[in-house]
């Protein structure tokens, strides 16, 4: 097992790179699938929104993220399409 | 007056709907899809209210959203009742901003206002009302506060007629105005926004002018317009939020505390296993079986009493047989698992309303993802080891259509309790000391068949569809027992209506075929019956895995359609024992079944375990899949897989038999 890279403040990454408890600001959605993109937007994942990785499922996927005062579960493969700037 | 009730999933929509309507509801399906449609009348008024599916947005991408959009746009709704979760204001208002763009007055019911207060979320309703220019009423559907006020406001029609608010930036607002002036249709603002979003369903409303405006806009922003609109909506909501909510510092909520245990890295799975084991124990295991035996006992007493009555009244032999062996056997089959069903629905409903079900889906999703199913598929599979019927019905909680259909199709592959007598009979006689091992091997076989079938379906039937897993983890809630009991009652009743009719009709048909010859004589040997004739006609299907043409085995398997335990009973009867002593030695030494070898015995078990389930389960599949055509497809798929597996097993094992 390769050690996971730990991303620090001001680093650019995707949401899937972050680990439990980290916070980040959404920079860009790289989703190609229009339906998924719209779904993420509708759920409040818009540019500039703050997201916290609240929990990772016991098996490592999906992630439970916190944004706009509520919690949402997403699969890693979808999270890897969301570019973020790490806050903490 | 037509009122449309609309809100996010988990916003308490159903609870409010039940409160508003009491018991006069009509439950059906939306045309062409298997999504439930509820309609009712608001208490003490003559207003009709319709419960639209739980959605987060009015986008053109999901079936639920499609239904809601169409309904609001085309069905002349007089009032929208938008229920939102006060503890989740920001995301909930997103849908509200979309609803306000329609030419329909909106009342916003802020549900769970009591919980919001407890959490120190102080909402300035007056400010919200002013800002959005729409009536806001704080309620708690669970505690029933504010609901009376809500009905009064609807009745008096003293609500704001929301004459539109500005929510976008200047440039967008200007363009919207220009486009609106060109549209000759109601809901012009809504349409204008959809045109800017390039919504495929609204192309027809484009005029030359509006096309140009939208093109210029796209050039200016040089980004996806859907995203611009979503960004703008949320920006507006954030501004309102900052002005209208005074939130004291959040400390850890109860939900967080519970999740530290239930979603703990090490404890999550053991706790889940424990909970599932309890569900199984209560529903399919000892407790559930006890209820089944209890009902069967009294059904037998009643059926005996009935047959004596019929004797007293001097009924003919065939009519007595029709009542006792046909109708009672069929009705008994349904009634016997009604209590089991009710227990199951109760537990499932409990797990759902508390919010635990969503968490199961969350931490098991990874396992099921690999074969194209969802974390929620596990529940039907577990229940299926008791009985397929409630299991198939519990698949309703899976939101994704494809995953739901696949789960419904795969659930009957889990050997249900009615299939146990088959295993006991065959394994006990042919594999003696190894019968336990053989029984276990069949369960492993089932798992393999499920995984293989899922992969086949994923690659052939639903190819190229990757579903995304987007799930909101709701807060843990204490269940509302009145609501749960109502829910259970509805489901049980629906089951009796649907499966009941199918089982009774099918039972009578099988009884008729078994007791009459083609010349319609009654009181014949079973070998002269119509069913035997049909058995002879179809025995070639069974040849590849029995190694012989046996109408007796064929007929027994066909009878498994009424109920799987019928297979053993039928074999006992054909072997010449009307007393139905299911004794392996007796059955397999009779002329009819002496052809069985260990290989064909194992293959016959495999076929009966995985072929079409009983009529009750087929009825449940019909109901949950939505069309008869899909039901037939499912039945053929299952039977095809079973035939293939049985044949492979027999041919493989037969080689050993020949060699040894």
């Amino acid at each position: 097992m390769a050690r996971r890279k730990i991303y620090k403040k001001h680093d650019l990454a995707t949401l899937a790179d972050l680990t439990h408890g980290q916070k980040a600001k959404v920079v860009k959605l790289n989703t190609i699938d229009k339906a998924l993109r719209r779904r993420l937007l509708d759920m409040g994942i818009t540019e500039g929104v703050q997201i916290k990785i609240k929990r990772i499922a016991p098996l490592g996927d999906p992630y439970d993220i916190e944004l706009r005062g509520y919690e949402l579960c997403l699969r890693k493969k979808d999270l890897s399409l969301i570019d973020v700037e790490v806050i903490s | 007056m037509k009122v449309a009730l609309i809100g996010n999933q988990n916003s308490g929509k159903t609870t409010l709907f039940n409160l508003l309507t009491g018991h006069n509801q009509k439950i059906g399906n939306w045309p062409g899809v298997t999504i439930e449609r509820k309609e009712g009348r608001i208490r003490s008024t003559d207003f009709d209210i319709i419960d639209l599916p739980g959605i987060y947005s009015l986008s053109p991408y999901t079936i639920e959203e499609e239904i809601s959009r169409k309904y609001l746009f085309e069905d002349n709704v007089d009032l929208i009742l938008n229920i939102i979760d006060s503890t989740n204001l920001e995301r909930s208002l997103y849908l509200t901003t979309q609803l306000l763009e329609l030419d329909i007055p909106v009342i916003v019911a802020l549900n769970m206002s009591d919980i919001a207060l407890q959490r120190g979320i102080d909402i300035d309703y007056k400010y919200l009302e002013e800002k959005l220019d729409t009536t806001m009423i704080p309620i708690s559907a669970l505690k029933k506060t504010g609901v009376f006020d809500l009905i009064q406001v609807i009745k008096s029609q003293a609500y704001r007629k929301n004459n539109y608010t500005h929510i976008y930036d200047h440039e967008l607002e200007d363009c919207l105005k220009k486009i609106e002036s060109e549209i000759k249709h109601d809901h012009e603002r809504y349409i204008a926004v959809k045109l800017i979003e390039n919504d495929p369903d609204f192309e027809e409303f484009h005029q030359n002018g509006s096309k140009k405006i939208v093109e210029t806009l796209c050039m200016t922003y040089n980004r996806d317009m859907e995203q611009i609109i979503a960004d703008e909506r949320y920006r507006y909501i954030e501004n309102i939020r900052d002005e209208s909510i005074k939130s004291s510092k959040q400390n850890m909520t109860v939900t967080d505390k519970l999740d530290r245990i239930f979603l703990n890295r090490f404890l999550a799975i053991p706790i889940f296993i424990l909970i599932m084991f309890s569900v199984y124990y209560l529903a399919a295991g000892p407790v559930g079986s006890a209820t089944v035996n209890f009902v069967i006992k009294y059904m037998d007493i009643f059926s005996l009493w009935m047959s004596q009555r019929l004797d007293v009244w001097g009924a003919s032999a065939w009519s007595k047989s029709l009542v006792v062996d046909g109708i009672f056997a069929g009705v008994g089959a349904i009634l016997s698992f009604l209590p089991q069903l009710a227990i199951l629905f109760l537990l499932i409903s409990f797990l759902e309303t508390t919010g635990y079900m969503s968490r199961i889906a969350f931490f098991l999703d990874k396992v099921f993802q690999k074969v194209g199913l969802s974390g929620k598929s596990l529940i039907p599979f577990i229940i299926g080891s008791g009985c397929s019927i409630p299991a198939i019905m519990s698949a309703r909680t899976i939101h994704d259509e494809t995953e739901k259909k696949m789960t419904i199709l795969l659930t009957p592959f889990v050997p249900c309790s009615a299939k146990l007598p088959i295993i006991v009979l065959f394994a006990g006689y042919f594999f003696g000391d190894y019968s336990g091992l053989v029984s276990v091997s069949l369960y492993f076989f089932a798992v393999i068949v499920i995984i293989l079938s899922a992969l086949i379906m994923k690659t052939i039937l639903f190819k190229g569809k990757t579903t995304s897993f987007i799930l909101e983890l709701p807060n843990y809630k204490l269940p509302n027992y009145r609501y749960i009991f109502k829910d259970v009652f509805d489901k049980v009743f629906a089951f009796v209506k649907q499966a009941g009719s199918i089982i009774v009709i099918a039972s009578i048909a099988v009884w008729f075929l078994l007791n009459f010859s083609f010349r319609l004589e009654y009181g014949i040997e079973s070998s002269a019956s119509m069913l035997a004739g049909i058995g002879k006609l179809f025995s070639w299907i069974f040849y590849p895995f029995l190694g012989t043409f046996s109408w007796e085995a064929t007929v027994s398997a066909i009878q498994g359609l009424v109920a799987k335990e019928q297979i053993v009973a039928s074999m006992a009867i054909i072997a010449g024992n009307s007393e139905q002593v299911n004794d392996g030695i007796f059955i397999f030494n009779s002329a009819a079944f002496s052809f069985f070898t260990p290989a064909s015995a194992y293959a016959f078990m495999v076929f009966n375990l995985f072929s079409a389930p009983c009529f009750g389960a087929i009825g449940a599949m019909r109901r949950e899949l939505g069309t008869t055509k899909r039901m037939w497809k499912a039945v053929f798929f299952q039977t095809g897989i079973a035939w293939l597996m049985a044949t492979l097993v027999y041919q493989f094992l037969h080689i050993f038999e020949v060699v040894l």
Side-chain angles (χ1 to χ4, degrees):
Chain A
M1 274 289 285
R3 279 278 316 261
R4 277 182 58 163
K5 182 174 175 208
I6 304 292
Y7 287 86
K8 295 189 185 62
K9 194 169 171 160
H10 301 312
D11 279 356
L12 290 179
T14 72
L15 267 183
D17 298 328
L18 302 189
T19 174
H20 167 258
Q22 285 194 285
K23 283 195 188 124
K25 202 167 82 192
V26 173
V27 180
K28 190 160 174 273
L29 293 178
N30 287 318
T31 38
I32 301 172
D33 176 17
K34 268 186 95 72
L36 173 64
R37 178 192 191 79
R38 175 66 190 257
R39 195 76 208 277
L40 296 175
L41 290 169
D42 288 342
M43 296 312 263
I45 305 178
T46 54
E47 283 171 27
V49 75
Q50 243 200 56
I51 293 184
K52 179 182 167 190
I53 307 283
K54 184 143 183 182
R55 215 176 267 106
I56 296 175
L59 301 167
D61 192 20
Y63 283 29
D64 176 26
I65 62 173
E66 191 178 48
L67 73 152
R68 301 193 185 274
Y70 82 104
E71 286 176 37
L72 190 66
C73 305
L74 285 170
R75 285 182 182 159
K76 244 176 130 157
K77 70 171 198 304
D78 297 333
L79 289 171
S80 65
L81 303 171
I82 304 169
D83 289 348
V84 292
E85 183 189 326
V86 181
I87 296 173
S88 66
Chain B
M1 232 339 238
K2 246 199 218 171
V3 184
L5 177 63
I6 190 162
N8 294 164
Q9 289 157 20
N10 302 316
S11 59
K13 205 162 54 68
T14 313
T15 316
L16 179 64
F17 182 79
N18 290 339
L19 270 183
L20 290 174
T21 57
H23 284 294
N24 56 53
Q25 310 179 354
K26 281 205 296 284
I27 301 178
N29 270 351
W30 291 90
V33 288
T34 54
I35 295 166
E36 201 168 71
R37 182 180 198 271
K38 280 195 196 157
E39 230 177 317
R41 175 117 337 154
I42 301 179
R43 284 169 204 232
S44 74
T45 67
D46 52 358
F47 298 166
D48 288 319
I49 184 161
I50 180 127
D51 185 20
L52 292 172
I55 55 169
Y56 296 107
S57 164
L58 293 172
S59 88
Y61 299 113
T62 71
I63 298 170
E64 286 89 351
E65 289 169 352
E66 191 78 39
I67 290 170
S68 306
R69 266 161 66 121
K70 249 184 110 106
Y71 187 81
L72 293 174
F73 198 74
E74 292 170 8
D75 270 62
N76 302 321
V77 177
D78 299 296
L79 172 68
I80 293 173
L81 177 53
N82 175 210
I83 177 168
I84 67 176
D85 174 354
S86 310
T87 61
N88 192 347
L89 203 62
E90 211 174 317
R91 219 257 342 270
S92 310
L93 284 176
Y94 178 77
L95 178 63
T96 314
T97 59
Q98 297 182 51
L99 297 171
L100 290 173
E101 281 160 3
L102 290 155
D103 291 340
I104 306 170
V106 178
I107 294 182
V108 179
L110 290 125
N111 196 15
M112 310 183 209
S113 47
D114 54 326
I115 303 171
L117 263 182
Q118 278 169 22
R119 286 206 204 153
I121 304 168
D122 185 11
I123 303 170
D124 184 347
Y125 298 106
K126 282 282 156 280
Y127 178 84
L128 274 182
E129 269 193 350
E130 284 304 318
K131 267 297 189 195
L132 291 166
D133 191 22
T134 188
T135 308
M136 299 259 166
I137 299 168
I139 63 162
S140 163
L142 215 54
K143 296 215 168 81
K144 298 182 201 166
T145 47
V147 178
F148 181 72
D149 299 344
L150 181 66
I151 295 180
Q152 287 311 312
V153 172
I154 296 172
K155 240 169 129 165
S156 62
Q157 306 203 10
Y159 40 81
R160 289 171 179 247
K161 305 288 189 280
N162 50 284
N163 296 319
Y164 144 64
T165 37
H166 292 267
I167 73 166
Y168 305 108
D169 68 16
H170 289 304
E171 194 164 352
L172 270 173
E173 288 288 353
D174 288 347
C175 292
L176 278 168
K177 272 213 186 58
K178 281 184 204 144
I179 297 172
E180 278 173 55
S181 63
E182 286 198 5
I183 293 166
K184 315 268 183 293
H185 192 284
D186 288 347
H187 314 298
E188 59 279 338
R189 182 172 178 86
Y190 176 80
I191 297 171
V193 174
K194 292 290 159 211
L195 289 178
I196 288 181
E197 284 181 342
N198 289 318
D199 193 310
D201 297 350
F202 286 84
E203 285 294 314
E204 65 196 81
F205 293 101
H206 252 315
Q207 308 294 335
N208 292 335
S210 62
K211 256 209 169 71
K212 276 205 185 68
I213 297 167
V214 173
E215 275 166 17
T216 330
L217 256 183
C218 287
M219 300 287 279
T220 327
Y221 282 97
N222 197 14
R223 274 170 61 206
D224 177 16
M225 288 317 287
E226 265 187 321
Q227 177 158 3
I228 305 277
I229 298 278
D231 283 353
E232 289 284 321
R233 284 189 202 282
Y234 269 114
R235 222 180 32 140
Y236 181 75
I237 293 166
E238 283 168 21
N239 292 337
I240 302 185
R241 177 203 62 191
D242 295 340
E243 293 297 321
S244 66
I245 299 182
K246 287 187 273 304
S247 183
S248 54
K249 190 75 202 97
Q250 283 249 9
N251 40 13
M252 248 180 91
T253 60
V254 179
T255 293
D256 284 338
K257 283 177 194 154
L258 284 171
D259 269 342
R260 278 176 74 175
I261 303 164
F262 285 120
L263 291 180
N264 177 292
R265 269 178 69 183
F266 306 104
L267 293 177
I269 308 275
I271 290 175
F272 164 75
I273 290 170
L274 201 71
I275 289 178
M276 275 299 133
F277 180 77
S278 332
V279 168
Y280 182 80
Y281 189 87
L282 287 171
V287 180
S289 305
T291 61
V292 171
N293 295 334
F294 176 82
V295 175
I296 288 177
K297 192 175 127 195
Y298 282 94
M299 275 302 293
D300 283 348
I301 292 170
F302 185 58
S303 120
L304 194 70
W305 174 84
M306 195 73 212
S307 83
Q308 284 165 349
R309 285 282 76 187
L310 289 168
D311 278 340
V312 172
W313 294 331
S316 62
W318 70 263
S319 62
K320 200 177 104 180
S321 169
L322 167 66
V323 172
V324 176
D325 306 331
I327 300 171
F328 269 71
V331 175
I334 313 162
L335 284 181
S336 67
F337 43 61
L338 262 193
Q340 205 183 30
L341 212 65
I343 295 173
L344 246 165
F345 286 149
L346 195 74
L347 295 167
I348 298 288
S349 198
F350 179 83
L351 289 179
E352 256 180 18
T353 47
T354 48
Y356 187 69
M357 209 65 123
S358 303
R359 278 148 179 98
I360 296 179
F362 168 63
F363 62 72
L364 288 175
D365 181 68
K366 190 180 179 179
V367 180
F368 286 88
Q369 221 187 101
K370 289 192 166 41
V371 290
L373 295 166
S374 115
K376 291 184 177 177
S377 307
L378 186 71
I379 296 139
F381 292 165
I382 289 173
I383 299 169
S385 61
C387 174
S388 295
I389 299 166
I392 289 166
M393 288 165 91
S394 70
R396 218 180 277 184
T397 53
I398 301 169
H399 274 292
D400 182 84
E401 278 280 302
T402 311
E403 287 170 356
K404 184 165 78 183
K405 278 182 199 151
M406 278 173 72
T407 307
I408 290 168
L409 228 156
L410 296 171
T411 299
F413 285 146
V414 179
C416 70
S417 55
K419 289 172 180 169
L420 284 178
I422 309 169
I423 300 175
V424 170
L425 174 76
F426 280 85
Y429 181 79
F430 288 101
F431 302 100
D433 294 343
Y434 300 104
S435 65
L437 195 67
V438 167
S439 310
V440 173
S441 77
L442 284 162
Y443 276 87
F444 274 107
F445 211 114
V447 173
I448 292 164
V449 167
I450 287 171
I451 292 171
L452 281 179
S453 308
L455 289 172
I456 290 172
M457 283 195 278
K458 193 180 158 185
T459 46
I460 297 172
L461 301 179
F462 306 113
K463 56 174 166 284
K465 252 203 76 169
T466 50
T467 55
S468 288
F469 178 78
I470 299 179
L471 170 99
E472 194 192 338
L473 280 191
N475 287 313
Y476 284 109
K477 282 191 203 76
L478 275 174
N480 173 332
Y481 291 102
R482 271 200 35 221
Y483 166 67
I484 286 187
F485 282 119
K486 191 182 170 325
D487 185 50
V488 169
F489 180 80
D490 286 349
K491 280 180 180 157
V492 169
F493 187 73
F495 162 77
V496 171
K497 226 169 60 179
Q498 278 271 350
S501 50
I502 289 189
I503 293 179
V504 173
I505 291 166
S507 308
I508 292 173
V510 170
W511 168 86
F512 176 73
L513 294 173
L514 185 66
N515 285 285
F516 285 84
S517 71
F518 284 107
R519 293 214 294 280
L520 295 184
E521 299 151 309
Y522 175 75
I524 39 159
E525 283 292 308
S526 53
S527 61
S529 68
M530 279 188 259
L531 197 60
I534 294 167
K536 286 174 186 130
L537 205 62
F538 287 106
S539 59
W540 57 272
I541 295 175
F542 290 67
Y543 181 80
F545 59 86
L546 293 178
T548 175
F549 292 103
S550 162
W551 69 263
E552 296 93 337
T554 310
V555 165
S556 302
I558 293 173
Q559 287 202 54
L561 288 168
V562 177
K564 290 290 162 185
E565 54 266 58
Q566 275 288 318
I567 295 175
V568 175
S570 155
M571 287 174 73
I573 292 167
I574 291 171
N577 186 352
S578 55
E579 286 304 301
Q580 293 194 19
V581 177
N582 310 327
D583 175 19
I585 297 170
F586 171 79
I587 289 177
F588 295 115
N589 284 332
S590 70
F593 297 111
S594 57
F595 67 85
F596 269 111
T597 63
S600 56
Y602 197 93
F604 192 65
M605 279 196 284
V606 166
F607 181 81
N608 283 310
L609 249 41
F610 303 129
S611 63
C614 67
F615 285 128
I618 294 175
M621 287 203 299
R622 159 74 189 76
R623 186 181 151 76
E624 299 304 318
L625 292 170
T627 68
T628 312
K629 196 176 143 193
R630 286 191 198 127
M631 173 196 89
W632 281 114
K633 272 189 189 162
V635 168
F636 279 115
F637 180 85
Q638 286 158 344
T639 313
I641 293 270
W643 185 87
L644 196 70
M645 289 293 159
T647 305
L648 287 174
V649 165
Y650 175 74
Q651 299 301 347
F652 177 73
L653 292 176
H654 192 60
I655 294 169
F656 288 95
E657 279 178 353
V658 173
V659 171
L660 302 170

